[in-house]
Amino acid sequence: MMWKQLLSKIPRKSSKSDTSSGSIRGHGGNDGVPSGDGNQIERTGSGSVLPSRATTTKRTASAIFPSSVVTSIEPLLTFRDVPAAEKQNLFLSKLNLCNALFDFSDPNKNSSEKEMKRQALLDLIDYVDAGTSKFIEPVISASCKMFAANLFRAFPPNSRTSTSGGETEEEEPMFDPAWPHLQLVYDLLLKFIESSSFDAKIGKKYVDHFFIVKLLDLFDSEDPRERDCLKTILHRIYGKFMVRRPFIRKAVSNVFYRFVFETEKHNGIAELLEVFGSVISGFALPLKEEHKIFLVKALLPLHKPKTLGVYLQQLTCCVAQFVEKEPKLINLVIKGLLKYWPITSSQKEVMFLSELEEVLEATNTVESLDCVVPLFQRIALCVTNSHFQVAERALFLWNNDHVINLVSQNRQAIMPLILPALERNIQCHWNQAVLNLTQNVKKMLSEMDPELFTACERRHNQDEEKRKVTEETRRMIWERLETIASFQSVTGNTPVLVRPTITPSIAAVLS
């Protein structure tokens, strides 16, 4: 028979395992099952990785799984070989088989057992994808146990430092040698959650707070393929388990807090923000106070770390969606940006200007903006920045219709702040491209309100005259002091006694 031929090709390691699986027959697998959301998830094999890193290569990172004693694993029947009443019992048997863990740092170790487990996982995926019957509670419990055994693990310490790279540079990815197997487990988890046979009312007992926290810990994986799978799975869990949504938001906030205020190292911030970009779009109006607190205390502080460039796009999307939903939040967002505005990093300053433009575009009204003065004071400093990219990016803001509309409606406050910066650029800036942009912005302001422009220009000229007079007075005072000192020059090692001037108030305290 065919099953005997299959069994004859598989080595048996002990007579005990042979006798305990006398009724077990061969198993046929099916490759290439597409994921539920239409994105094909490639399949390969899986398992654990031992703590030893002697066999790892430069571009691989091993995870530390719980140790397990591996005996021989026999193949199971296929689902089409058993009656419908026994399918879920067979499902449980295959889940128990998949609880065995292997060392994938050595591809030649337990190769036949790894292949059996791979075939069992493929068969489980096909069965879940078919959705023939509702999953009973023992099946849900055993499934969550198997997912935990295979996925939840500790990561080795990250020996790479992020101080050598720039704010936008991503390090070379590290690939987990166990990923081929992990990918199958993730594929099964995704299909299991998406399946109509999975009752969320029963499942919430097992997809509990501990399960969610452990799942979020996996976002720190150095393997980008794993983080991409986790992103989809977390989104499906958030959508299916409404009772878990507040806890997920709180747990993700804690991940952000730890990253910003403690470690400044985390591999999955961009993926978590991408998930929450979809979550924020589903917030009902008016926004709850909890959601506003998440914006102010979790999202805005993410502008602080040096690695902002790695997740800037996803962070900007989240912040802009808050402003789109409730335009009055623009004040909180701009104040947050000004609070974390970089002083010594020109690269980050360019990023902040880009995000500022997107946030201003997200609101159609500017009447609610009450922080115009501090905002354009900062923009004026950027316009005169000696780093040409910062000055150029700040001047490019005037190519945006939303910014022009904002300037036009608040020109009485903005023009006196911007015009002196433009005049300073024309006189002093070294970069020709910045000079040309400065001339264009100045012309734009003069056409916007000629009378106000003339008044601001006149005031600027008066301020310049006063500044020149003050500087000349200061220069003359120093020249006079230098002249007096030249007639009382100190030669050799002559000691000089300097008597401090004590004001009457200080003298009264001393007495």
Side-chain angles (χ1 to χ4, degrees):
M1 294 176 63
M2 183 178 295
W3 65 270
K4 289 184 178 179
Q5 295 175 359
L6 290 172
L7 288 178
S8 65
K9 297 179 182 179
I10 299 169
R12 297 172 181 265
K13 290 197 174 181
S14 66
S15 58
K16 180 179 179 180
S17 62
D18 290 344
T19 56
S20 63
S21 57
S23 62
I24 296 175
R25 290 170 172 77
H27 168 70
N30 182 18
D31 292 312
V33 180
S35 64
D37 60 351
N39 296 324
Q40 185 72 22
I41 298 181
E42 180 186 351
R43 293 199 183 131
T44 43
S46 160
S48 64
V49 180
L50 298 178
S52 173
R53 292 176 226 162
T55 58
T56 58
T57 60
K58 181 180 178 182
R59 298 180 67 250
T60 63
S62 299
I64 304 167
F65 287 89
S67 60
S68 75
V69 179
V70 179
T71 59
S72 65
I73 298 178
E74 299 294 350
L76 299 176
L77 293 168
T78 61
F79 284 102
R80 60 177 173 268
D81 292 336
V82 298
E86 294 296 322
K87 288 185 182 296
Q88 298 220 12
N89 289 332
L90 179 58
F91 193 93
L92 287 170
S93 298
K94 289 180 180 291
L95 287 173
N96 290 331
L97 181 149
C98 293
N99 281 326
L101 304 177
F102 300 102
D103 176 13
F104 271 77
S105 61
D106 183 359
N108 298 320
K109 188 176 181 181
N110 305 117
S111 56
S112 59
E113 289 87 346
K114 291 174 185 176
E115 176 61 20
M116 292 179 196
K117 183 176 179 181
R118 188 183 78 86
Q119 293 293 336
L121 284 169
L122 290 171
D123 206 13
L124 289 171
I125 292 171
D126 293 338
Y127 179 76
V128 172
D129 201 31
T132 54
S133 60
K134 289 285 184 182
F135 295 133
I136 58 177
E137 185 167 352
V139 167
I140 296 175
S141 174
S143 298
C144 291
K145 179 182 177 182
M146 190 276 288
F147 296 140
N150 283 274
L151 300 178
F152 299 161
R153 62 206 192 277
F155 294 116
N158 184 1
S159 59
R160 302 179 299 177
T161 59
S162 59
T163 55
S164 59
E167 289 85 352
T168 58
E169 294 178 2
E170 291 191 54
E171 294 174 330
E172 185 180 10
M174 304 273 287
F175 298 113
D176 195 328
W179 172 247
H181 165 66
L182 293 173
Q183 189 173 25
L184 285 176
V185 180
Y186 277 120
D187 196 1
L188 177 59
L189 174 56
L190 178 62
K191 289 185 177 295
F192 191 77
I193 294 170
E194 291 179 334
S195 175
S196 58
S197 302
F198 180 36
D199 189 350
K201 292 181 180 179
I202 301 175
K204 68 182 181 181
K205 293 170 58 178
Y206 304 99
V207 184
D208 54 5
H209 291 181
F210 177 81
F211 189 93
I212 291 170
V213 168
K214 286 295 186 181
L215 195 72
L216 290 176
D217 288 342
L218 296 176
F219 274 89
D220 201 20
S221 169
E222 293 188 358
D223 195 323
R225 302 167 298 182
E226 182 170 13
R227 300 198 303 270
D228 195 57
C229 283
L230 284 164
K231 179 178 62 178
T232 306
I233 289 167
L234 179 61
H235 187 267
R236 298 297 186 272
I237 290 176
Y238 190 91
K240 188 146 192 169
F241 299 95
M242 294 186 65
V243 69
R244 298 285 178 248
R245 291 182 181 181
F247 179 79
I248 292 175
R249 293 195 295 267
K250 182 179 178 181
V252 172
S253 297
N254 290 335
V255 173
F256 292 159
Y257 297 153
R258 196 178 309 116
F259 168 65
V260 173
F261 301 111
E262 294 180 14
T263 64
E264 286 200 2
K265 291 181 180 179
H266 197 283
N267 297 307
I269 299 298
E271 287 79 9
L272 287 170
L273 287 170
E274 191 169 341
V275 173
F276 265 75
S278 177
V279 169
I280 293 167
S281 66
F283 285 166
L285 295 176
L287 291 175
K288 297 179 181 178
E289 192 64 26
E290 171 203 348
H291 299 154
K292 296 178 184 179
I293 292 174
F294 176 76
L295 167 65
V296 175
K297 294 191 174 182
L299 292 184
L300 292 180
L302 286 172
H303 292 88
K304 180 182 176 183
K306 295 179 181 179
T307 54
L308 170 67
V310 175
Y311 54 84
L312 176 68
Q313 181 181 355
Q314 293 84 355
L315 178 59
T316 301
C317 178
C318 291
V319 173
Q321 285 194 79
F322 269 105
V323 176
E324 286 177 2
K325 283 189 168 291
E326 196 164 310
K328 289 185 179 180
L329 292 175
I330 186 70
N331 292 300
L332 289 174
V333 170
I334 290 179
K335 288 176 183 176
L337 289 175
L338 294 177
K339 177 180 178 180
Y340 296 105
W341 199 277
I343 303 300
T344 59
S345 174
S346 299
Q347 193 174 12
K348 279 187 72 175
E349 206 160 2
V350 172
M351 296 181 204
F352 271 59
L353 289 166
S354 300
E355 182 176 0
L356 176 64
E357 184 175 5
E358 289 197 39
V359 168
L360 291 174
E361 283 183 346
T363 177
N364 295 321
T365 176
V366 294
E367 289 82 0
S368 59
L369 190 62
D370 59 6
C371 53
V372 169
V373 172
L375 171 61
F376 278 87
Q377 283 175 339
R378 174 55 60 185
I379 292 176
L381 290 174
C382 294
V383 166
T384 58
N385 196 300
S386 59
H387 195 293
F388 80 97
Q389 289 181 335
V390 177
E392 192 174 54
R393 189 64 189 85
L395 291 166
F396 276 145
L397 290 174
W398 271 263
N399 291 338
N400 189 292
D401 292 338
H402 286 80
V403 175
I404 290 296
N405 187 31
L406 174 63
V407 173
S408 177
Q409 295 191 33
N410 297 275
R411 56 184 179 274
Q412 296 289 342
I414 293 175
M415 202 174 291
L417 300 173
I418 295 298
L419 188 60
L422 299 177
E423 293 291 348
R424 207 171 303 127
N425 264 11
I426 292 172
Q427 295 173 9
C428 306
H429 209 283
W430 61 273
N431 186 269
Q432 188 60 45
V434 172
L435 291 175
N436 294 338
L437 288 170
T438 301
Q439 292 285 6
N440 293 339
V441 173
K442 183 178 178 182
K443 181 181 178 182
M444 194 181 302
L445 292 178
S446 66
E447 294 173 352
M448 183 181 295
D449 191 334
E451 185 177 346
L452 178 60
F453 180 85
T454 303
C456 292
E457 198 169 32
R458 189 185 308 114
R459 189 184 308 166
H460 171 68
N461 292 334
Q462 293 172 355
D463 292 341
E464 281 295 300
E465 290 297 327
K466 290 180 182 179
R467 184 183 62 81
K468 289 178 181 179
V469 170
T470 303
E471 286 184 357
E472 182 64 23
T473 303
R474 186 184 297 113
R475 187 187 64 80
M476 291 176 64
I477 291 173
W478 279 106
E479 283 184 357
R480 188 162 59 251
L481 289 173
E482 289 172 359
T483 302
I484 294 173
S486 66
F487 290 106
Q488 299 178 2
S489 58
V490 178
T491 58
N493 296 323
T494 305
V496 178
L497 178 62
V498 178
R499 295 182 181 274
T501 303
I502 302 178
T503 62
S505 58
I506 297 177
V509 172
L510 293 175
S511 61

